[in-house]
Amino acid sequence: METQTENKKIVLSFVQSSGAPTIGNYFGAFKNWHDMAQENDCIFGVADLHAITVRNTPADLRRRSKEMYAWLLALGLDPEKNVIFMQSHVQEHALMAWILNCYTMFGEASRMTQFKDKSARHADNVNVGLFTYPILMAADILLYNADMVPVGDDQKQHLEIARDIAERFNGIYGDVLKVPAPYIGKKGARILSLQEPDKKMSKSDPNEKSFISLTDPDAVIAKKIKSAVTDSEACVRYGEGKDGINNLMALYACCTGLDYDAIERDFAGKGYGDFKAAVAEAVVAEISPVRSEYERIIADKAYIEQCMADGAEKARRIAARTARKVMKKIGFYQI
Ligand code: TRP
């Protein structure tokens, strides 16, 4: 993808490599990425530089980064047509992040709610990287002239600051950086915890029954769905006070493409047991082919590394061009 293909938009997103993805990541992001990749020029990255804002053992960081990369391939994203790469393989990210640091105000970075949340949760390791995390993310976005950046709600504020930084930079130096759209194509579904369906499904939840990992075997998926929290009404309908059933309906809708009315009709007069069995079957049908593909790919280290090398080369070409232009505008002495 040397230059932007005519009429196509550049879609860019990254995923952190902090453990096996859940069906929340799958339905909320990955499936959407896959759909967007059919019509756009896509750049997808594993944000391993972002991962070191919390402590990892070297072996874990290495393994998780490779695994997340393999998941991206397993989704059916085409490494020939798209750019799929590891952030740390392209050094311009760190360079651009430093530069953008100098065009970001301390006050605006201090307003990031995720920083406030994370520094409260990791009070023993409030490092400066946690604080400048959104600026590295701005670098990720702006290096590639992204038009659209599909992200979850929790990242919207970071996308906003990336836009603000780009506009500030352009205000000083002219039209240098592409300002990405505030949002972001079709919205993925927000899948909630199976045990506390007022919270987002999270792979870091200590209660393993609350999330379904893409690595879970079929029987485990079925068991977790069976033990999902519901309500006492015993009626499959979408409504207030029915967070658990609403969540299962959302899941079922993601897998089958049915809307809520159709689901209500199909399950009229049936109990939650029947519904849960159907949800489990649908989730397994969706996930297990991806998991098999992942297992095939993760066993093929040479293939993964070849894709990584190709992806890094393509990414570097684009990133280096932007970084050079930015440095020239600022006035760095170039030879
Ligand atoms: N911070 C994002 C997340 O946690 C991951 C990310 C890093 C990202 N760089 C990005 C997302 C650039 C979109 C664009 O989900």
Side-chain angles (χ1 to χ4, degrees):
M1 201 187 75
E2 185 123 31
T3 47
Q4 188 175 358
T5 320
E6 223 179 318
N7 291 330
K8 285 191 175 177
K9 296 279 183 208
I10 298 182
V11 174
L12 171 143
S13 199
F14 283 59
V15 59
Q16 278 221 55
S17 48
S18 51
T22 68
I23 56 168
N25 300 116
Y26 180 82
F27 290 114
F30 293 163
K31 208 177 166 189
N32 199 8
W33 292 10
H34 182 266
D35 293 347
M36 293 179 101
Q38 310 314 310
E39 295 159 15
N40 303 284
D41 285 332
C42 290
I43 301 175
F44 296 119
V46 175
D48 58 342
L49 292 173
H50 281 100
I52 67 166
T53 53
V54 299
R55 287 285 167 263
N56 302 273
T57 67
D60 276 348
L61 179 63
R62 219 165 5 243
R63 179 178 52 77
R64 287 184 186 143
S65 303
K66 172 179 159 218
E67 288 176 356
M68 190 53 88
Y69 189 90
W71 278 113
L72 297 188
L73 297 178
L75 294 174
L77 298 173
D78 184 344
E80 305 258 320
K81 282 208 209 115
N82 303 299
V83 180
I84 305 177
F85 76 111
M86 190 74 79
Q87 186 187 30
S88 67
H89 292 172
V90 179
Q91 300 196 345
E92 278 76 8
H93 290 255
L95 170 66
M96 186 74 164
W98 166 254
I99 291 173
L100 297 179
N101 271 328
C102 302
Y103 297 85
T104 307
M105 296 303 123
F106 188 85
E108 70 183 333
S110 309
R111 284 193 288 278
M112 297 292 109
T113 55
Q114 194 171 67
F115 171 70
K116 293 185 212 168
D117 291 350
K118 283 196 184 170
S119 47
R121 268 189 284 132
H122 304 279
D124 56 333
N125 184 21
V126 185
N127 59 74
V128 179
L130 207 55
F131 185 67
T132 58
Y133 177 114
I135 303 160
L136 177 58
M137 181 163 158
D140 299 340
I141 294 167
L142 300 174
L143 277 172
Y144 298 93
N145 309 310
D147 294 293
M148 289 189 285
V149 185
V151 289
D153 285 342
D154 60 332
Q155 297 298 315
K156 280 206 177 137
Q157 201 185 24
H158 293 164
L159 188 55
E160 263 321 303
I161 202 176
R163 285 166 49 84
D164 292 345
I165 296 168
E167 278 167 0
R168 178 174 301 123
F169 193 93
N170 288 348
I172 304 169
Y173 300 105
D175 220 1
V176 183
L177 299 170
K178 164 97 69 81
V179 182
Y183 192 74
I184 355 191
K186 202 176 71 189
K187 201 167 159 21
R190 187 162 182 255
I191 302 298
L192 304 169
S193 158
L194 297 176
Q195 293 299 315
E196 293 166 88
D198 55 339
K199 290 197 326 202
K200 188 175 156 183
M201 181 179 284
S202 163
K203 59 191 159 224
S204 51
D205 195 316
N207 182 353
E208 292 213 348
K209 284 204 296 192
S210 73
F211 62 87
I212 294 173
S213 159
L214 293 189
T215 52
D216 283 344
D218 295 351
V220 173
I221 296 178
K223 212 164 130 201
K224 286 180 175 176
I225 290 176
K226 210 167 146 194
S227 61
V229 166
T230 53
D231 54 71
S232 54
E233 191 193 30
C235 172
V236 179
R237 68 176 181 87
Y238 199 94
E240 196 134 338
K242 294 176 68 74
D243 291 350
I245 286 295
N246 294 348
N247 191 35
L248 293 178
M249 286 178 74
L251 253 181
Y252 194 66
C254 286
C255 299
T256 60
L258 294 172
D259 63 22
Y260 293 151
D261 286 342
I263 299 172
E264 287 174 10
R265 252 181 279 118
D266 287 353
F267 289 91
K270 292 190 185 145
Y272 290 164
D274 288 340
F275 181 52
K276 283 176 164 178
V279 176
E281 196 181 318
V283 171
V284 166
E286 175 90 25
I287 295 304
S288 73
V290 183
R291 192 180 57 228
S292 313
E293 183 63 0
Y294 169 78
E295 278 159 8
R296 189 181 70 75
I297 290 169
I298 199 69
D300 191 348
K301 191 172 167 207
Y303 174 67
I304 294 174
E305 293 189 354
Q306 187 58 54
C307 291
M308 282 181 181
D310 293 347
E313 196 191 316
K314 288 194 269 183
R316 203 176 294 127
R317 220 177 296 146
I318 305 168
R321 198 190 304 138
T322 308
R324 195 169 165 80
K325 189 163 85 177
V326 161
M327 292 182 82
K328 185 167 178 198
K329 290 286 180 185
I330 295 173
F332 284 102
Y333 197 98
Q334 292 184 324
I335 50 169

